[in-house]
Amino acid sequence: QLQASGGGLVQPGGSLRLSCEASGRTFSTYAWFRQAPGREREFVAGSRPGGKNYRSSVKGRFTISRDNANNAMYLQMDSLKPEDTAAYYCAATSRTLILSSMGSEDAYDYWGQGTLVTVSS
């Protein structure tokens, strides 16, 4: 029910915008996670009514936004670094999570397929 898109190859310092479209229902809390090769999946950013949360390494560079009318969510990624290279996954739940819970994978009921972001010169 979630479809992620927008990944690709970009040079360091460049930008990408990921999209996640939800079909069939409306969600309250959305989030982006990522998984680099050989590493565990990690929380990137989350959005709920009235609040957003980011992992510290992306603050000031990534912006999460949502279009409630179209059940869509976005991740604008600027000033990309090679360490941002990963498969990015969107996740959603109908629950309104507290900010401190957004990083828990178990809190999300729906996941999109990964979209690969490669930052390399």
Side-chain angles (χ1 to χ4, degrees):
Q1 297 193 3
L2 298 179
Q3 181 74 33
S5 62
L9 173 63
V10 63
Q11 293 185 342
S15 297
L16 279 177
R17 187 187 192 221
L18 305 183
S19 300
C20 179
E21 296 185 1
S23 60
R25 62 184 299 164
T26 300
F27 298 101
S28 180
T29 305
Y30 288 90
W32 289 96
F33 289 76
R34 67 186 180 187
Q35 186 169 22
R39 301 187 65 178
E40 293 186 354
R41 190 156 56 183
E42 62 185 22
F43 171 78
V44 177
S47 173
R48 47 153 281 182
K52 298 178 183 180
N53 197 11
Y54 297 90
R55 72 178 298 106
S56 58
S57 62
V58 307
K59 281 183 180 178
R61 301 188 298 120
F62 291 10
T63 303
I64 189 170
S65 62
R66 54 196 293 164
D67 179 352
N68 291 325
N70 293 302
N71 291 337
M73 185 258 292
Y74 309 97
L75 185 68
Q76 178 66 39
M77 304 186 295
D78 299 317
S79 301
L80 282 160
K81 304 176 181 181
E83 51 264 42
D84 295 318
T85 295
Y88 283 71
Y89 299 86
C90 58
T93 176
S94 58
R95 294 185 295 274
T96 302
L97 301 180
I98 59 175
L99 295 182
S100 60
S101 295
M102 283 185 178
S104 174
E105 294 185 38
D106 293 341
Y108 297 91
D109 305 305
Y110 298 92
W111 290 82
Q113 87 292 0
T115 184
L116 184 61
V117 172
T118 303
V119 185
S120 175
S121 56

